[in-house]
Structure formats: structure tokens, C-alpha cells
């Protein structure tokens, strides 16, 4: 926007006063029309005429107009033709053709007495400014004149209208200068006769929605300036937006009308060269906007955007005709108009508001007249804007936390599950009828894979970038979720900010991030929402729209379950706490039951698998036995799990002691969950719980949510009325709490700042190169170690289970050649194949075999790996005794190579393939001669040179078939668990025939998700 000054020299006053014809457009305005007419009658400009054009009013507006202006100055159209139609009718009158200027005025606008004179000064009295074609006033609110409504407008490069004003912004003189703008409102618009004749009429197709934008843009193309002068003021009622015109009903949202006008204006007003690059960018960004709206459940907004595009396609011939007219009078190139447009990508309102607050804060800090010390003034600024301050610090801290993640390198280390190189593998695994990882089976892929695939697509098709973004975003999302939950419950933004901070800096959160445990991070992001919604379900006041409320909670829970079915454990703890101490147990139970049912339906592939084997799906053997670690919510060691992390449970205890009404009931429930979560975590690692309930990280996550909530409850009530009380325990508690939170948060921030996370580029042990350089082809790795509650070395991930043999007990896991994979998110490694592997290991530990390699051969296990020093001495001796395992020198890892390994899918003429577990037969067999099959997933192909067996080391299902020698064979469970069949010489095809079941599941899943998202959709723009 350009700033100009008036020429008030005597010569300027000698010019003949120009004539102005006011075109008053009316429509059912009886309630406010007299105020508009009175303002026109009070104008000080001597050469002023008024004509009124009525758009089919039915409420007495015409009678008022005729009484005030006379029949000759009132044109009744009999129907609503909009502003464009009214102006077209007015300009056909002789007075309009003779007037020097037309002043368009809406019936709900009232001008200041000198407004016309000031508008003319802007049009003709500004020194050095020529060809001013359109001038608008500063428009303020009808009822509250201190509130600004219009000071000129702009658009982005794509024609979307933009105003520099904040909602409810007060007039403090910040726009008291003449501004050159892209367009002004048609509520009050002065147009010169030359500009009107050269530019052409308003586009009647817009029906009064943003036609001022298109008109002013075309005027600029014709070489005319558009100004806003603050010396002219007008009040605007905006009666249509208020809904005060009885028969005026807006059929679509503001987004629809703005998008419609934006695209039409672009097509009419931009030059060809500009459109050649701008339209493709607009299309790509438009598709991205639609996807974002759909993902955020703003379906009405997405539909309005599509409808606006459809309108422009249908009206394209008319747009092109008007384009010819607009371009025929062009005298200004696009580059001359762009300075009056906003940037292509505007900052969100939050950032604009943040800039204003920071400016105010800096001014206050620099104001020496305040007479306060700098620390106290800084504290005042922080206390006044806690959310802004917390957000700024969080952004800075987050940047430091992910500094090692930035770059093109692929992350590894910790318990990080690798992402496939191609995002299509996510969707392929989701849609596959068989599991393609480790020992296979028919356990379906989790719906989480759809999210991971979509995230990778958004990340420009880069799965490694998507992995980094998700890992970095989850703690931030968890903090936002905690803030929103506590802000709703306490009504104290400052308390909610502190609760979010301690939650993000808790030991469990930092440990999960360092380890790269995406599924646990998702759970940590979901749990604050679950805590808040379950609390609301049991609250005294019923939630609005209870069914939508329950479905919304179910959607959130289903996301958590898709990544980690064990989310049911902390959510169950939340529900139990409210059942014990909630206010409305009946209603709360019904809503939580509805949510659980919805979650089960939305994640039914995962839920059905977990229901079949709950122990495998819910359990985790991860967790230290050190009680002090558990008390500070740390399942293991890592950055942020040091002794200082105890600040959170200590602060929670102090806050519980100080929490008062109305948070006392919530504080008791939070205390119950915090204590129960910590105790159950200890019981998990101590082996005192049923296997299905053994999951220390899940219980500690519940405790972290509860303790963070206690901090919010205490802070929101602790210091209330503190200044009116004598010094005592309460004041001492506040002091202790201040020290705990200050020291704890600061120390954890330092840990994050200088942390060396377990996940990083090159996070694999150096000895892993032995495995990575192994010859091609698929194989599997057996991981073993002492039962110490820790993960395996990267990329081994977490253990599956324990093979118990007294002092020789080991934990074990099984992975493909590249380690754990994100394709298995939400799925347990379980089934008859794993049970057979468990039995083989117990046979080894019991000293019952010296041919472990042969026993592991049908599993495709080529390597057995343990961390150096992690094997019990007796187990290391047992492995060294095996005749078919060869020790491979490697520093940092203990690696054995299996000399008797078999391909993961093969045909063999001499391999013994019993239909049950028969370790003796396998041990007694000669060296097996096997030919690998090609393919994978649902189809394997190869050739048998002689009669024998075909074996695919995937867990058996009756849906497999074998094509051989013209026959279709039904396989049997080889070794008691694998897919096997006798074959004759010739081509062999092993294929899965029940893919239709998975396709039907996906179709049903898509339908239920569509219904759930529609039920929980957000309301569209007004």
C-alpha cells in the first residue's frame, strides 16, 4: 500500500467543484434506511444528486425512498438484480451520464457529513497522484464506530480477498493516511465517469459477492488508481451478514463466494504469461487444500471449494468474453499491480498476532517510565501472554531437539522401525491378504499404514522425510493435546501451558522420542484427549451432541489402537478412575462404551487380531526393574531420564496437596491413575501381572498424563487468594512448587538441548555391516539376550517373548534381514511359527540339541545375533556347542551364522517336511538341497527338478494353493506351522486365493471411516 499527501494549495480550490451522483442501492432496508438518507442529506458538497435503485423490496423501503427523494429519483426494479444490476440500471439514467462521479452507497451505510468532499479530495486533490479512478472511505462499525471494518483490501496472488484488519480491531489512528490499495468495498465507493466508462460495469454474475474486487482490479488494468482516504468515514451495518434482511438468505458459505470470485478474477484480469505459471500452482495448492480440509473433517469447506471450481467451469465462456473486454483496455502490466497484493503465502493470523504482542512487550520492556525492574517487567509480559511465550519457546526447543534429524540421511538406531523405501509398500501391505513380514500369516495390516503412506505422499513421496516429520511432530502434538485438555478443564491458559511443558519434558516422552518409538509417541499424543473426553463424559453437565461426542472419542482411540493396541490399558485406567469417582456414571459409561465400540469398528482388523491373541498384542517386556527409574516415569535409560526427571511426580504431589475446588474431584482421579500407573508398571517388570496386562511403557504413559494434569489442577487453584492469607503451609507449598517446576523444566530443557538421541543417521552398530553385506536374497535374523527388560541392538527392536530355562532364560525376537519394519505397526508377532521357535529355543537352553542351525533352517534364519556381553554365560556355551552355527568375528555384536539355513521359500527333493513339530526328524536329516522360489507376498514361483516338497516359511492358512503338474493342491502345515505340499517335477506356483476377504475388509473399513468422519465433521465456514 502506498501513502500519499493532499495538495491544499490555493490553486486547488479554484477548480470547478465536480458533480457527484449518489447511486443508493436498497433491498428490504426499512429498519436502517432513514439513517442512510439522513447522512446523505447532511453532506456538505454542493453539487450532489441522489438516485435510488430498489432491488425488489417488500417491507416498505420503496415508500420511504419515494417520500424522501420523490418518484423521479427512485427506480424500482421489481426483483433482486444485485449491486451490478442496480448500477447498470442507474447508469442508464441521464443524470448518471452527465455526472463527473458516481458514488455507490449501500442502504446500510451512513456517511459522515464531509465524506463526499473528502472522497473528492482523494480523487482530485492529491499532489502528484494522477488518474485516480476509485476512492473509498475508512469504514467503521455501525453501532461501535471505534471498531474498524474496512481500510481498503488486497488479495493474494490467487485472488483470495485479504484485509489487514484483525477481528474487532480498534481505530487508534493506525490507518490515518491515504493508502493506495487493490480494491475498496462497494458499500461506499466513489468512481469517476472516465473510470466507469473505460472499465465497464460490475460483473452481475457475482450477485454482490466480491464484485468490488473484480471491478477495481479491472480499473487498475485500465490504468486507474484505487485509493482509501481515512479523512472520509462511513458507518456500515452489514445487515446481510447480520441476517437482518428477512428474505435475504445466503445459500453458500463465504469461502465459496470468495473462491468463486478469486478464480474468475484471475481468469479475466491476469495476462496470459502470468496465467501460464500461476494456474498450475493454483491447481496444485487447491488440491492440497482439499486434502487438508478432508483430513481435518471440514467436508463442507472442501465441497464449497469444488463447487466454486465447478461454477467457473460452467461459466467459462462468459468469463472469456469478459476477459476480452478487460484486456482490451489494459494499459498496465501485471507487475505494476502485484505491489498492491499480499504475498502468495500469508502468515496465519496467529503469527500476525504474535508479532503485535511481541512489539507491545518490547515497548513495555523498553519503557523506562514504568519504573519497574527489567525482570519484573519481563515476567509481566510473560504472564500476560503465556500461550504465545510457551509456543515460541516450544518452537525453539523443538528445533534444537530435531537438529540431528535434519538432512538427507536415513535415520536408524534405538527401537526405530524402518520405513520402506517406496511409499507404495505401505498401501501394498495394507491391501495384501497375507502378511509379508517375518513369518507371515494372514494377520491384516493395520489402518495405521494408510496414515503412514499418506504422510509419505505428502512428504513429496519420501518415506524417510515422513518418518522424521512424524517423529518430530508427535511430541509437539502431545503438548498441544495436553494444553487444550487442561485449558478446557481449568480455564487457566497459564496452568495449561505449564502442564503441556511438563508432559512434553517428562521422562517417558523423551525416552520414547530418543528410542524412535513412533507407536508409543502416537499413544502419548492421543491420551490427553482421551483423559479430557472421558472426564467430560462423566461430568455433571452432559456434552453437547452426545452421539457425535462419543464417535469423536472413538475416532481418536482408533488411531491409537491402529498404532498400538495397548492404548486400551491407559484408557481403561482413565475409565476406571471415573467409574469410581465420576459424577454421572451411567451416562459416562454409555458414552465411553460407544467410543470403544466405534474404535473397535474403525480399527477392526487390528482389534480382531488382538482379541484372538491379547497377550501377544498388548504385552511388552520392555522396562527396567529399577524402582527409582519407574517412579520418575522412565522405562529405561536415555536423555531426560536422569534423577531430575523426578520433578514431575514431586510437583504432582505438591499440586495435589494444594488443589482446591472446583478441581479437587479431578485431582483425586488423577492421583488414582498416577499411583495405579506407576504401581502397574512396576508389577509389569516384576512379572506379577497377567501377560496381557504386562506393559510398563503403557502404564507409565497413563501416569504421565495424570501427573501433568495434577500440575494443571494445582496451579489453577493453588495460589488463589494467597496474598490475603498469613504465611503458612500454602505459601511454603507454592515456593516448593516454583522451585521444582523451574529447576525441573530448565534441567530437562538442557537435556534436550545437548541430547544425543539413540536415533540418528548412522545409528546402527559398526558390526551391522557384516549383516548388511551378506549375499542377496531374503533371510531372517534371530535376536537373543538376557531378560533385562531392554530392546535388542538396532535394528532388532523389542523382544517377542522369553524362552525360560532358569538362569539360562533369554529374551528373543525375529526380524527380516533389515530389522524391524514400520509395516508391522499395530501388529504382534504371534502364531504357531513363533510358538515352534519358542519351543526350539527352550530345547537349546535345556541342552537338547547340537543342531540348532538345522532346526532354524526352515525359518530362514541365517544369523543369530546378541549384543556383546548380553548373553548369559551358559547360553553362550550352548551356542558354541552347536555343530551348524559358525561364530562370525564382529566387535560390539555376538554373531553366529547358520550353516544349515534354507531359503524362505524353496523346493527340495530330500528335505524332511513333517506335518507336525518333529525336531528329531529335522536333526537326523542329511544336508538339505533346496532351490529358492521367486516372488513373495501372495505368489511364489519356481521349478522342481524331482519329486519332493515345496515349502514357504509363512504361517499356514487354508487359503493357500499349490499349482503343480496340472493339479491344484491344498497344502498342509509343514513342520506344524509353514505352508508345504508334495510336488512332482515341473513348474510350481504357490498362491494365496482369499485376497477377496481382505478387499472386502478394506471396503468395509473405508465405509465406516467415511461415516465416522462425516458424523464428526467440523462445521464449514459461515
Amino acid at each position: 500500500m502506498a501513502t500519499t499527501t493532499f495538495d491544499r494549495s490555493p490553486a486547488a480550490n479554484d477548480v470547478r467543484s465536480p458533480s457527484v451522483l449518489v447511486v443508493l442501492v436498497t433491498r428490504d432496508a426499512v429498519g436502517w434506511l432513514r439513517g442512510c438518507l439522513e447522512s446523505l442529506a447532511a453532506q456538505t458538497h454542493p453539487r450532489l444528486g441522489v438516485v435510488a435503485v430498489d432491488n425488489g423490496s417488500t417491507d416498505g423501503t420503496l415508500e420511504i425512498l419515494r417520500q424522501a427523494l420523490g418518484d423521479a429519483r427512485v427506480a424500482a426494479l421489481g426483483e433482486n438484480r444485485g449491486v451490478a444490476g442496480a448500477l447498470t440500471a442507474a447508469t442508464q439514467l441521464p443524470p448518471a451520464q452527465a455526472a463527473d462521479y458516481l458514488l455507490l452507497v449501500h442502504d446500510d451505510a451512513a456517511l459522515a457529513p464531509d465524506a463526499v468532499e473528502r472522497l473528492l479530495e482523494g480523487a482530485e486533490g492529491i499532489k502528484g497522484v494522477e488518474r485516480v479512478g476509485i476512492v473509498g472511505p475508512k469504514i467503521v462499525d455501525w453501532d461501535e464506530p471505534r471498531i474498524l471494518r474496512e481500510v481498503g483490501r488486497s488479495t493474494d496472488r490467487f485472488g483470495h480477498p485479504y484485509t489487514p484488519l484483525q477481528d474487532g480491531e480498534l481505530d487508534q489512528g493506525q490507518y490515518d493516511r491515504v493508502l493506495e490499495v487493490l480494491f475498496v468495498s462497494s458499500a461506499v465507493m466513489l468512481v469517476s465517469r472516465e473510470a466507469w466508462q473505460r472499465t465497464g460495469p460490475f460483473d452481475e454474475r457475482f450477485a454482490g459477492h466480491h464484485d468490488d474486487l473484480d471491478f477495481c482490479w479491472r480499473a487498475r488494468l485500465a490504468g486507474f488508481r484505487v485509493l482509501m482516504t481515512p479523512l472520509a468515514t462511513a458507518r456500515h451495518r452489514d445487515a446481510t451478514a447480520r441476517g437482518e434482511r428477512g428474505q435475504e438468505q445466503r445459500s453458500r458459505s463465504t469461502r465459496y463466494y470468495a473462491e468463486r470470485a478469486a478464480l474468475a478474477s484471475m481468469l479475466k484480469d491476469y495476462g496470459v504469461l502470468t496465467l501460464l505459471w500461476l494456474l498450475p500452482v493454483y491447481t496444485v495448492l487447491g488440491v492440497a487444500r482439499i486434502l487438508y480440509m478432508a483430513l481435518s473433517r471440514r467436508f463442507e469447506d472442501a465441497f464449497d471449494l469444488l463447487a466454486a471450481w465447478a461454477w467457473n467451469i460452467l461459466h467459462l465462456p462468459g468469463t472469456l468474453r469478459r476477459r476480452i473486454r478487460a484486456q482490451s483496455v489494459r494499459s498496465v502490466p501485471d507487475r505494476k499491480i502485484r505491489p498492491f497484493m499480499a504475498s502468495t503465502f500469508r502468515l496465519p493470523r496467529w503469527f500476525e498476532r504474535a508479532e503485535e504482542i511481541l512489539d507491545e512487550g518490547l515497548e513495555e520492556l523498553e519503557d523506562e517510565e514504568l519504573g519497574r525492574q527489567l525482570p519484573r517487567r519481563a515476567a509481566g509480559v510473560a504472564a500476560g501472554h503465556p500461550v504465545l511465550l510457551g509456543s515460541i519457546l516450544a518452537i525453539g526447543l523443538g528445533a534444537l531437539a530435531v537438529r540431528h534429524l535434519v538432512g538427507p540421511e536415513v535415520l536408524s538406531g534405538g527401537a526405530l522401525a524402518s520405513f520402506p523405501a517406496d511409499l507404495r509398500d505401505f498401501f501394498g501391505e495394507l491391501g495384501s491378504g497375507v502378511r509379508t513380514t517375518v513369518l507371515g500369516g494372514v494377520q491384516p495390516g493395520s489402518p495405521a499404514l494408510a496414515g503412514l503412506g499418506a504422510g509419505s505422499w505428502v512428504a513429496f513421496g519420501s518415506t524417510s522425510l515422513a518418518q522424521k516429520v512424524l517423529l518430530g511432530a508427535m511430541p509437539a502434538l502431545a503438548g498441544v493435546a495436553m494444553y487444550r485438555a487442561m485449558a478446557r478443564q481449568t480455564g487457566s491458559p497459564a496452568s495449561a501451558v505449564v502442564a503441556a511443558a511438563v508432559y512434553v519434558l517428562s521422562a517417558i516422552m523423551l525416552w520414547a522420542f530418543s528410542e524412535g518409538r513412533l507407536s508409543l509417541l502416537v499413544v502419548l499424543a492421543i491420551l490427553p484427549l482421551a483423559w479430557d473426553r472421558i472426564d467430560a463424559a462423566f461430568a455433571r453437565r452432559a456434552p453437547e451432541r452426545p452421539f457425535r461426542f462419543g464417535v469423536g472419542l472413538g475416532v481418536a482411540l482408533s488411531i491409537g489402537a491402529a498404532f498400538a493396541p495397548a492404548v486400551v490399558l491407559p484408557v481403561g485406567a482413565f475409565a476406571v478412575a471415573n467409574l469410581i469417582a465420576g459424577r454421572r456414571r451411567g451416562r459416562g459409561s454409555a458414552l465411553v462404551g460407544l467410543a470403544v465400540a466405534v474404535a473397535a469398528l474403525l480399527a477392526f482388523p487390528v482389534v480382531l487380531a488382538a482379541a484372538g491373541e491379547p497377550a501377544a498384542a498388548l504385552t511388552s517386556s520392555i522396562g527396567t526393574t529399577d524402582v527409582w527409574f519407574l517412579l520418575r516415569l522412565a522405562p529405561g535409560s536415555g536423555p531426560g531420564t536422569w534423577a531430575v526427571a523426578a520433578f514431575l511426580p514431586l510437583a504432582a504431589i505438591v499440586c495435589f496437596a494444594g488443589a482446591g475446588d472446583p478441581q479437587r474431584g479431578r485431582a483425586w482421579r488423577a492421583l488414582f491413575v498416577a499411583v495405579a500407573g506407576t504401581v502397574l508398571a512396576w508389577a509389569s517388570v516384576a512379572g506379577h501381572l497377567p501377560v496381557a496386562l504386562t506393559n510398563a511403557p503403557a502404564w507409565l504413559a497413563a501416569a504421565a498424563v495424570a501427573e501433568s494434569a495434577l500440575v494443571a489442577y494445582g496451579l489453577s487453584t493453588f495460589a488463589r487468594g494467597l496474598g490475603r492469607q498469613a504465611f503458612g503451609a500454602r505459601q511454603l507449598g507454592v515456593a516448593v512448587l516454583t522451585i521444582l517446576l523451574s529447576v525441573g523444566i530448565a534441567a530437562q530443557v538442557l537435556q534436550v538441548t545437548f541430547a544425543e538421541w539413540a536415533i540418528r543417521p548412522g545409528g546402527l552398530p559398526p558390526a551391522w555391516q557384516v549383516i548388511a553385506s551378506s549375499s542377496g536374497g531374503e533371510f531372517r535374523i534371530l535376536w537373543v539376550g538376557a531378560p533385562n527388560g531392554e530392546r535388542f541392538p538396532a535394528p532388532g527392536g523389542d523382544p517377542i517373548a522369553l524362552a525360560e530355562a532358569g538362569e539360562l532364560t533369554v529374551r528373543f525376537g525375529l526380524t527380516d534381514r533389515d530389522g524391524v519394519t514400520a509395516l508391522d505397526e499395530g501388529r504382534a508377532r504371534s502364531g504357531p511359527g513363533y510358538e515352534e521357535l519358542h519351543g526350539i529355543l527352550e530345547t537349546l537352553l535345556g541342552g537338547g540339541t547340537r543342531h540348532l542351525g538345522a532346526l532354524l533352517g526352515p525359518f530362514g534364519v541365517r544369523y543369530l545375533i546378541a549384543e556383546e556381553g548380553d548373553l548369559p554365560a551358559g547360553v553362550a556355551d550352548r551356542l558354541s556347542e552347536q555343530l551348524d552355527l559358525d561364530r562370525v568375528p564382529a566387535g560390539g555384536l555376538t554373531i553366529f551364522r547358520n550353516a544349515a539355513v534354507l531359503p524362505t521359500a524353496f523346493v527340495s527333493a530330500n528335505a524332511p517336511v513333517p506335518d507336525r513339530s518333529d525336531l528329531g526328524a529335522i536333526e537326523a536329516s542329511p544336508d538339505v538341497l533346496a532351490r529358492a522360489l521367486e516372488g513373495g507376498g501372495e505368489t511364489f514361483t519356481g521349478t522342481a527338478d524331482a519329486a519332493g516338497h515345496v515349502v514357504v516359511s509363512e504361517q499356514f492358512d487354508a487359503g493357500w494353493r499349490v499349482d503343480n503338474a496340472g493339479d491344484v493342491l491344498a497344502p498342509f502345515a509343514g513342520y506344524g506351522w509353514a505352508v508345504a505340499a508334495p510336488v512332482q517335477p515341473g513348474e510350481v506356483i504357490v498362491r494365496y486365493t482369499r485376497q477377496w476377504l481382505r478387499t472386502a475388509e478394506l471396503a468395509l473399513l473405508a465405509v465406516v471411516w467415511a461415516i465416522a468422519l462425516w458424523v464428526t465433521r467440523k462445521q464449514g465456514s459461515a
Side-chain angles (χ1 to χ4, degrees):
M1 293 183 179
T3 304
T4 57
T5 57
F6 285 112
D7 178 11
R8 300 190 180 279
S9 62
N13 296 326
D14 294 338
V15 181
R16 179 184 64 87
S17 180
S19 60
V20 178
L21 178 67
V22 175
V23 178
L24 176 61
V25 181
T26 63
R27 164 78 171 172
D28 291 334
V30 70
W32 51 86
L33 180 58
R34 285 187 172 83
C36 175
L37 292 171
E38 289 171 0
S39 73
L40 294 176
Q43 291 301 304
T44 58
H45 184 68
R47 302 187 64 196
L48 184 71
V50 179
V51 296
V53 183
D54 184 74
N55 276 317
S57 294
T58 59
D59 65 345
T61 297
L62 269 174
E63 288 73 12
I64 296 176
L65 290 174
R66 287 167 177 157
Q67 181 181 2
L69 302 177
D71 291 342
R73 295 199 223 172
V74 178
L77 299 182
E79 61 180 349
N80 187 7
R81 299 183 189 175
V83 175
L87 273 174
T88 300
T91 54
Q92 294 172 356
L93 300 174
Q97 298 173 5
D100 296 317
Y101 288 90
L102 294 179
L103 178 60
L104 173 61
V105 178
H106 290 191
D107 57 30
D108 55 353
L111 281 65
D114 62 347
V116 175
E117 282 192 345
R118 299 301 189 183
L119 289 171
L120 288 171
E121 285 181 358
E124 298 185 349
I126 301 179
K127 183 178 181 180
V129 177
E130 299 177 351
R131 289 183 64 79
V132 176
I134 300 173
V135 185
K138 177 171 68 177
I139 298 178
V140 297
D141 188 75
W142 182 279
D143 298 316
E144 296 288 341
R146 291 190 60 201
I147 297 178
L148 292 169
R149 292 300 181 201
E150 292 283 349
V151 289
R153 288 195 170 201
S154 180
T155 69
D156 59 20
R157 296 290 192 272
F158 306 114
H160 300 122
Y162 169 74
T163 175
L165 297 176
Q166 301 287 334
D167 290 338
E169 183 170 342
L170 296 179
D171 184 5
Q172 298 174 322
Q174 64 270 44
Y175 295 101
D176 280 357
R177 60 192 184 280
V178 177
L179 300 175
E180 188 167 3
V181 296
L182 182 63
F183 74 103
V184 294
S185 172
S186 63
V188 181
M189 177 190 290
L190 182 72
V191 185
S192 70
R193 178 172 58 191
E194 183 184 5
W196 177 266
Q197 293 173 346
R198 187 167 175 80
T199 302
F202 277 45
D203 192 331
E204 74 283 354
R205 302 175 303 166
F206 290 167
H209 299 287
H210 304 292
D211 42 13
D212 43 15
L213 158 63
D214 171 68
F215 178 75
C216 291
W217 195 340
R218 286 188 285 120
R220 281 201 161 277
L221 287 182
F224 296 99
R225 296 177 185 268
V226 179
L227 304 182
M228 186 286 299
T229 174
L231 300 180
T233 61
R235 294 182 297 124
H236 189 209
R237 189 178 187 86
D238 206 2
T240 301
R242 290 185 179 189
E244 294 178 340
R245 301 186 195 272
Q247 299 179 4
E248 188 88 11
Q249 296 294 329
R250 176 182 289 167
S251 59
R252 304 302 294 266
S253 70
T254 55
R255 178 181 297 277
Y256 166 78
Y257 292 116
E259 195 69 38
R260 185 181 72 174
L263 181 53
S265 298
M266 285 173 58
L267 293 173
K268 282 195 294 183
D269 302 332
Y270 270 129
V272 173
L273 293 179
T274 302
L275 286 176
L276 286 177
W277 71 265
L278 198 63
L279 275 179
V281 176
Y282 170 84
T283 303
V284 171
L285 292 179
V287 172
R289 289 168 62 200
I290 291 173
L291 290 174
Y292 170 76
M293 292 172 188
L295 290 173
S296 58
R297 310 192 310 280
R298 292 160 52 194
F299 301 117
E300 285 95 341
D301 286 345
F303 179 77
D304 282 338
L305 182 54
L306 291 172
W309 289 359
W311 183 94
N312 275 280
I313 293 173
L314 292 174
H315 290 80
L316 186 59
T319 300
L320 293 178
R321 289 195 299 271
R322 289 167 176 81
R323 173 180 173 79
I324 294 173
R325 169 74 172 80
Q327 298 297 321
S328 67
V329 297
R330 175 190 282 271
S331 62
V332 175
D334 291 337
R335 68 175 182 274
K336 297 292 187 181
I337 298 176
R338 290 192 192 114
F340 304 103
M341 293 181 170
S343 61
T344 303
F345 302 100
R346 298 195 304 272
L347 288 175
R349 290 289 191 189
W350 186 91
F351 288 100
E352 296 178 359
R353 179 61 179 154
E355 181 182 10
E356 294 178 4
I357 294 174
L358 284 176
D359 289 341
E360 295 171 6
L362 291 174
E363 291 175 2
E364 182 176 346
L365 291 176
E366 295 171 358
D367 191 352
E368 298 297 336
E369 297 180 359
L370 293 177
R372 292 185 293 166
Q373 295 180 352
L374 182 61
R376 293 186 62 188
R377 288 180 298 187
V381 173
H385 309 289
V387 179
L388 173 64
L389 179 64
S391 301
I392 293 173
L393 294 177
I395 292 171
L397 184 61
L400 291 172
V402 301
R403 66 191 185 281
H404 298 311
L405 278 60
V406 177
E409 301 87 357
V410 176
L411 294 180
S412 57
L416 184 65
S418 63
F419 276 36
D422 191 335
L423 69 87
R424 289 175 295 183
D425 291 342
F426 283 122
F427 298 109
E429 186 70 18
L430 177 65
S432 176
V434 297
R435 182 173 182 170
T436 65
T437 60
V438 203
L439 295 185
V442 293
Q443 186 179 10
S446 168
L449 298 181
L452 296 178
S456 300
W457 181 82
V458 172
F460 311 102
S462 172
T463 56
S464 61
L465 176 60
Q467 183 183 51
K468 294 176 182 179
V469 170
L470 288 171
L471 287 171
M474 282 303 144
L477 291 176
V480 171
M482 178 58 72
Y483 166 77
R484 295 183 64 179
M486 294 302 103
R488 192 199 69 80
Q489 292 186 9
T490 67
S492 170
S495 301
V497 167
V498 176
V502 299
Y503 185 55
V504 172
L505 295 173
S506 64
I508 180 72
M509 184 76 72
L510 298 182
W511 175 81
F513 177 77
S514 178
E515 292 279 292
R517 297 179 180 274
L518 179 60
S519 58
L520 180 56
L521 289 172
V522 171
V523 169
L524 288 167
I526 294 293
L527 287 182
L529 184 148
W531 174 267
D532 179 45
R533 294 299 179 90
I534 292 174
D535 173 84
F538 285 86
R540 187 188 305 276
R541 182 178 179 182
E544 295 182 5
R545 302 172 65 186
F547 182 75
R548 181 181 184 275
F549 175 91
V551 174
L553 176 56
V555 170
L557 296 182
S558 70
I559 295 173
F563 281 90
V567 71
V568 69
L569 300 178
V571 170
F574 299 166
V576 169
N578 281 274
L579 278 171
I580 294 173
R583 295 181 181 274
R584 296 291 184 267
R585 296 179 180 86
R587 187 219 312 136
S589 300
L591 288 176
V592 172
L594 170 63
V596 171
V598 169
L601 190 59
L602 294 175
F604 74 85
V606 171
V607 172
L608 290 177
E613 296 186 76
L618 303 182
T619 189
S620 171
S621 59
I622 296 298
T624 178
T625 56
D626 189 326
V627 175
W628 298 111
F629 266 79
L630 298 176
L631 286 174
R632 57 182 183 257
L633 308 181
S637 59
T641 63
W642 57 338
V644 177
F647 86 96
L648 177 53
L650 292 175
I653 293 172
V654 175
C655 285
F656 171 77
D661 291 334
Q663 305 300 339
R664 193 62 182 168
R666 288 186 175 125
W668 274 107
R669 294 192 289 274
L671 180 67
F672 171 83
V673 173
V675 173
T678 306
V679 171
L680 290 171
W682 169 81
S684 293
V685 298
H688 299 318
L689 290 179
V691 177
L693 299 181
T694 299
N695 194 316
W699 294 123
L700 291 178
V705 172
E707 291 177 6
S708 301
L710 275 171
V711 170
Y713 301 151
L715 287 176
S716 64
T717 59
F718 211 155
R720 189 175 298 167
L722 198 64
R724 299 189 298 272
Q725 301 175 1
F727 184 84
R730 198 170 187 83
Q731 285 77 3
L732 183 61
V734 171
V736 171
L737 180 61
T738 302
I739 294 172
L740 281 173
L741 292 177
S742 300
V743 173
I745 291 175
Q748 292 295 80
V749 166
L750 287 176
Q751 282 276 290
V752 172
T753 302
F754 300 105
E756 293 292 336
W757 309 112
I759 54 168
R760 59 188 183 277
L764 300 176
W768 181 253
Q769 186 60 32
V770 173
I771 312 299
S773 61
S774 184
S775 58
E778 292 300 319
F779 61 85
R780 298 180 180 123
I781 301 170
L782 178 63
W783 302 80
V784 293
N788 54 15
E790 296 183 3
R791 58 171 171 81
F792 292 114
D798 291 344
I800 297 174
L802 298 181
E804 298 186 9
E807 294 181 355
L808 299 185
T809 297
V810 296
R811 70 193 195 281
F812 71 93
L814 187 69
T815 69
D816 293 317
R817 65 175 298 162
D818 294 323
V820 290
T821 171
L823 297 179
D824 281 334
E825 290 289 357
R827 293 192 293 193
R829 289 169 286 178
S830 61
Y834 296 96
E835 293 173 3
E836 179 71 6
L837 179 61
H838 186 276
I840 291 172
L841 287 176
E842 290 188 339
T843 300
L844 164 73
L845 299 176
T849 184
R850 299 188 67 188
H851 296 278
L852 180 63
L855 299 180
L856 296 177
F859 291 89
V861 173
R862 184 180 294 182
Y863 292 99
L864 186 150
I865 301 178
E867 188 171 13
E868 193 169 33
D870 189 33
L871 282 175
V875 176
D877 293 339
R878 291 274 195 272
L879 293 174
S880 298
E881 294 170 357
Q882 303 306 303
L883 301 178
D884 43 15
L885 292 184
D886 301 321
R887 179 74 179 266
V888 179
L893 294 178
T894 300
I895 303 177
F896 291 88
R897 183 183 176 94
N898 184 4
V901 64
L902 295 174
T904 55
F906 64 91
V907 290
S908 174
N910 69 335
V913 186
D915 60 359
R916 63 189 183 281
S917 175
D918 190 345
L919 302 186
I922 298 174
E923 286 183 304
S925 68
D927 291 340
V928 175
L929 301 178
R931 172 181 288 183
L933 300 180
E934 296 180 353
E938 300 168 9
T939 305
F940 298 84
T941 61
T943 303
D945 295 330
H949 287 87
V950 61
V951 176
V952 175
S953 58
E954 296 194 6
Q955 298 185 99
F956 176 79
D957 181 78
W960 287 98
R961 290 292 181 269
V962 177
D963 299 332
N964 173 243
D967 295 327
V968 178
L969 308 175
F972 63 90
Y975 311 107
W977 63 274
V979 179
V983 294
Q984 300 300 317
E987 184 181 25
V988 178
I989 301 175
V990 184
R991 55 189 173 84
Y992 187 70
T993 61
R994 294 182 178 175
Q995 174 62 38
W996 64 271
L997 285 174
R998 183 57 177 159
T999 303
E1001 283 183 352
L1002 288 179
L1004 177 60
L1005 198 64
V1007 170
V1008 295
W1009 268 98
I1011 294 172
L1013 293 176
W1014 181 257
V1015 170
T1016 60
R1017 70 190 184 279
K1018 296 181 179 178
Q1019 296 299 316
S1021 302

